[in-house]
Amino acid sequence: MTHLVTDKPLAEAEAAAEGSEAAAQQDRQIRWLLDGGLGPLLHHATRAAPQAIPARWRHELLAAELTARVRRAALDVVGAELLDACAALGVELTLLKGVSVSVQFYAQPHLRPMADMDVLFPAALHETVARALTGETGAFERIEFERPPGPHHDEPLRHRAHGAVVELHKGLYADGSPLGAGSVFSAEAVLQRAEPALWLGRRVQRLPAELQLAYIAASWFNDMTVLKVQPSFLPSLCDALLLMRHCGAGLDWRRLQGWLDNAMARGCLYALLAYLPRFGVPSVPADFMRWLAQAQDVVGPLQLRLIHRMLDHHLIGARPWTYPFPPPMPGRYSPHYQWRKRLLDQS
């Protein structure tokens, strides 16, 4: 009896400590999702079971949901003005990134966070559209930014009344990017392969689902290579998951195989597709995965495990990358790819 009485306070203290630690971890993960712009999506996902979210977070998630609705409404107003300007010029735009996937795969467009709207035009029409938007009667103004060599887009344009930002793309990647080699992401090929769609009731173009998946993978790892791990990379993972859930069973993998003429793009897609099954999405055909594994040389077996461990522990685990060395990414630790890259850089 004395033994039981003596150990009870200790057991209660240990249980309280474990509960406190679990609560702190849960708070960190919810804050990470909010910082990544996924508060509205979490609010939407738990609306039928609000008890799944601690009461202390429910008001903040609701506030994020309402704020996202207001922001999306402003973006739609700006989008309509952009479409009007393009219609007056007889130009059809192609949607890229968040503005495209938000209306394709999300239950409601505002659930997908967007810092700006990215649209693609043929290079020959780029300056014509920019002048129409920023001229005396235009609703936009140019934002100064540090222009890299061979830019794939010029200065972003900010709407004077609503503050929303539009990026007019000439291409998907800057000149010299390892993702710019080949034709898979060339502006000409992308525009040729784009499919008709509707946005705000108007006719536009967007990437076919197969190309969209490859673009998500390439941009996701390309951005993380530069900016390391941060919560803003969670939406791209959601994009890939929702694309696979909506379209995975009907994707034309043979067509995608014919388009993937870029080594880095193949490696990025391989690393992403090998990671997604843990989330319960439709499986990728085994023959395509075998081909992809053999056709890429930027992600070896050990590196693949390191990338996935990094994603699990840091991106999903809500832990920023604080180490003095960069996180593992496709091509970063591949001797063959690094040798070839340096050889090409010197030629």
Side-chain angles (χ1 to χ4, degrees), residues 311-326:
L311 293 172
D312 283 340
H313 188 71
H314 292 277
L315 186 64
I316 303 301
R319 297 178 180 90
W321 186 270
T322 57
Y323 302 109
F325 50 89

Side-chain angles (χ1 to χ4, degrees), residues 71-229:
R71 288 178 176 169
R72 184 67 195 209
L75 285 173
D76 286 348
V77 170
V78 173
E81 292 191 26
L82 175 63
L83 289 167
D84 287 341
C86 291
L89 295 170
V91 174
E92 191 170 69
L93 57 82
T94 299
L95 304 179
L96 298 176
K97 302 183 180 180
V99 69
S100 179
V101 298
S102 66
V103 296
Q104 285 180 269
F105 307 127
Y106 286 75
Q108 299 175 46
H110 75 279
L111 298 178
R112 206 290 185 181
M114 288 194 323
D116 51 35
M117 292 184 286
D118 296 86
V119 293
L120 176 68
F121 295 96
L125 299 175
H126 190 274
E127 189 55 33
T128 299
V129 175
R131 281 200 304 268
L133 295 174
T134 59
E136 292 183 3
T137 60
F140 294 82
E141 60 185 358
R142 297 179 189 264
I143 304 174
E144 292 187 6
F145 79 124
E146 186 177 349
R147 185 177 309 205
H152 54 296
H153 62 79
D154 286 334
E155 301 95 338
L157 306 181
R158 179 171 54 212
H159 194 276
R160 293 187 178 96
H162 296 284
V165 174
V166 175
E167 289 193 354
L168 308 182
H169 283 253
K170 301 174 184 177
L172 272 57
Y173 294 103
D175 295 346
S177 166
L179 291 163
S183 65
V184 59
F185 295 133
S186 71
E188 295 79 7
V190 169
L191 290 169
Q192 184 178 11
R193 293 163 181 163
E195 299 176 342
L198 289 177
W199 178 42
L200 302 175
R202 322 284 184 87
R203 180 183 170 88
V204 294
Q205 298 281 103
R206 69 183 179 202
L207 276 58
E210 296 85 1
L211 186 56
Q212 189 81 269
L213 181 62
Y215 186 38
I216 289 170
S219 296
W220 193 45
F221 283 116
N222 184 63
D223 291 343
M224 275 193 285
T225 297
V226 177
L227 301 174
K228 300 183 181 180
V229 182

Side-chain angles (χ1 to χ4, degrees), residues 7-20:
D7 284 354
K8 185 177 180 181
L10 178 60
E12 291 177 347
E14 289 176 346
E18 290 177 0
S20 177

Side-chain angles (χ1 to χ4, degrees), residues 260-280:
L260 285 171
D261 60 354
N262 179 285
M264 181 61 77
R266 292 192 295 266
C268 291
L269 184 59
Y270 173 63
L272 174 66
L273 292 180
Y275 186 66
L276 295 185
R278 67 193 66 201
F279 298 100

Side-chain angles (χ1 to χ4, degrees), residues 225-282:
T225 297
V226 177
L227 301 174
K228 300 183 181 180
V229 182
Q230 51 184 273
S232 61
F233 294 125
L234 286 169
S236 293
L237 177 59
C238 291
D239 295 346
L241 291 170
L242 291 174
L243 186 154
M244 287 297 294
R245 287 177 180 170
H246 280 80
C247 309
L251 290 177
D252 188 338
W253 298 102
R254 186 175 297 275
R255 178 167 74 157
L256 178 56
Q257 181 175 333
W259 289 345
L260 285 171
D261 60 354
N262 179 285
M264 181 61 77
R266 292 192 295 266
C268 291
L269 184 59
Y270 173 63
L272 174 66
L273 292 180
Y275 186 66
L276 295 185
R278 67 193 66 201
F279 298 100
V281 300

